[in-house]
Amino acid sequence: MPPVEPIPPSVLLVVLDDVGIDQLSCYDAENSYSAPYAYAYTPNLDALVAGGARFTQCRSAANCSPSRAMLLTGRYGFRTGCGALVTPGNESPSFSELGSPTPETGFPALLSGRRKAIGKWHLGLDAANGGSMPGHPTSLGFTSWSGVLRNLSGGGGELPPGQPGYTNFLWWHQGVSTQIQGTHATGYTADAAIAWIASVPLAIPWMLYLCFNAAHQPWTAADVPPTIEHGFGTSIDSAHLNTNFRAHLEAFDYHLGRVLAALTGETVVILIGDNSTPGNVDPVAGEPRYPIGHPLHQTGDDTTQLSMAPYDHARAKGSVYEHGIRVPLIVSGPGVTAGVRTELASPVDVFRTVCEINGALIPGGAATDSISLVPVLSGQPGSRVDGLSERFNPNGVGETLTLELRGYVRQDGANLWKLVRRSGFADELYDVAADPLELSDLGTGHAEYQATVDAMIALLAS
């Protein structure tokens, strides 16, 4: 009899929304607060980190849709045409939900076993807005999708009657949307994941792409998670957006623990942020560190002013500065040696990493920018030497684009030369290895400026 092929491990890919390394205590060594910051209490995430690989140099796109396109296709935005949020009026025919006229290959299409997408999609529009949702995830290779189309409020999204938010949203399942009221979206998303994992037979490998809306706004009183899921009590001031944000992050951690407890068989868990933290999360005057009763409360925390100094809220989400694009990437499971990884990484690397874990073959022309992180996960050196972050309009390959922002990082020994290009401004150059807050612009006259520009141009021309 021929030898029985081993069953590859399953993959749980978790995407956090609007959470940079600046908001996670497991990245405290990389953060630059002038005083101790009051992180959310995330014991389940911390346990995942303790047994896994924590990447410190992962940089994503400036906002949501481009980063998810990078992750699923293994290609930068200038190739896929996704450089801005997918919204009505900004989904050109040449982009067309990554499906036409030049279809993109999504890594789920190459995997063996079941492939499910659950939660926020934000790469397609519903039929009323000219899109092909809810069929778009299956066109990228998922066997099915259940979730919300985009954000839970604002932004021209497909929203339910009433006041939309975490406790009033439209949930799509099997092609039909249902208005969900009175149940928090974070828990609802976790429940869907747990139910689906339980439905897959043990002998079948699976891949679950699990995208939470947390900790993205809205953060109104109606959106606060149930008190059992966070430590901030019942009296959260609606003006304290940082506290609201941390409550959502703690609720995410609560439900992450539930999902992890539901795993059976060998599973590689990958957790990544789509982009970094929004600037309005910066604390306001009078916002306390922790209330009495919070698990991390110490004497005086309820009256001590919370601060994120010296972070600049203008350089947060939506920018290509470090505070806007440096995101968590944590991997745990079989084949992973625990520890810190300082190698460069990008969302595009998820493509080849998951395919190698699954044993899937990648056709020529796919995953142009992706590099497998599997060797790095086992403790070997990495091979990525640069990384690109972009924001441009409109979406679409071959369109006349308006470049708004571009951030390019090039590794040179111990240096990380970073070019920041903003429309209407002079180029900036930083060594973000030595200057992670980007306080000292080295200028266009620096010896490494032209070498960095040339390397970026070579990538864009490839």
Side-chain angles (χ1 to χ4, degrees), residues 35-38 240 242-243 246 281-290 300-309:
Y37 175 63
H240 293 164
N242 188 290
T243 299
R246 287 181 290 156
V281 166
D282 282 10
V284 298
E287 189 162 2
R289 286 171 48 81
Y290 297 111
D301 278 347
D302 48 309
T303 57
T304 300
Q305 170 69 47
L306 178 62
S307 172
M308 286 180 65

Side-chain angles (χ1 to χ4, degrees), residues 106-252:
F107 74 80
L110 307 178
L111 306 181
S112 60
R114 307 255 179 109
R115 294 96 59 200
K116 176 74 173 182
I118 293 177
K120 177 180 172 179
W121 185 246
H122 217 165
L123 284 171
L125 304 172
D126 68 354
N129 284 297
S132 65
M133 290 295 289
H136 185 216
T138 57
S139 73
L140 284 176
F142 291 102
T143 50
S144 61
W145 169 74
S146 302
V148 296
L149 293 183
R150 290 187 279 154
N151 293 325
L152 295 174
S153 69
E158 297 80 357
L159 302 172
Q163 181 63 42
Y166 276 90
T167 56
N168 181 23
F169 54 95
L170 293 182
W171 184 269
W172 289 80
H173 180 64
Q174 295 182 340
V176 178
S177 66
T178 301
Q179 184 177 7
I180 305 299
Q181 294 179 286
T183 301
H184 202 271
T186 304
Y188 197 90
T189 303
D191 288 346
I194 292 167
W196 184 80
I197 291 169
S199 74
V200 182
L202 285 177
I204 298 178
W206 51 262
M207 192 283 297
L208 173 57
Y209 176 61
L210 179 58
C211 299
F212 287 88
N213 285 84
H216 194 292
Q217 59 186 7
W219 305 311
T220 70
D223 298 296
V224 174
T227 54
I228 192 176
E229 300 171 12
H230 65 88
F232 291 95
T234 58
S235 56
I236 298 179
D237 189 328
S238 60
H240 293 164
L241 298 186
N242 188 290
T243 299
N244 277 268
F245 181 93
R246 287 181 290 156
H248 280 274
L249 192 49
E250 292 189 2
F252 159 78

Side-chain angles (χ1 to χ4, degrees), residues 415-437:
N415 304 107
L416 282 175
W417 305 113
K418 181 176 177 183
L419 175 71
V420 174
R421 180 163 286 179
R422 298 186 294 157
S423 178
F425 294 85
D427 285 353
E428 302 164 37
L429 182 72
Y430 302 92
D431 179 2
V432 290
D435 180 22
L437 289 174

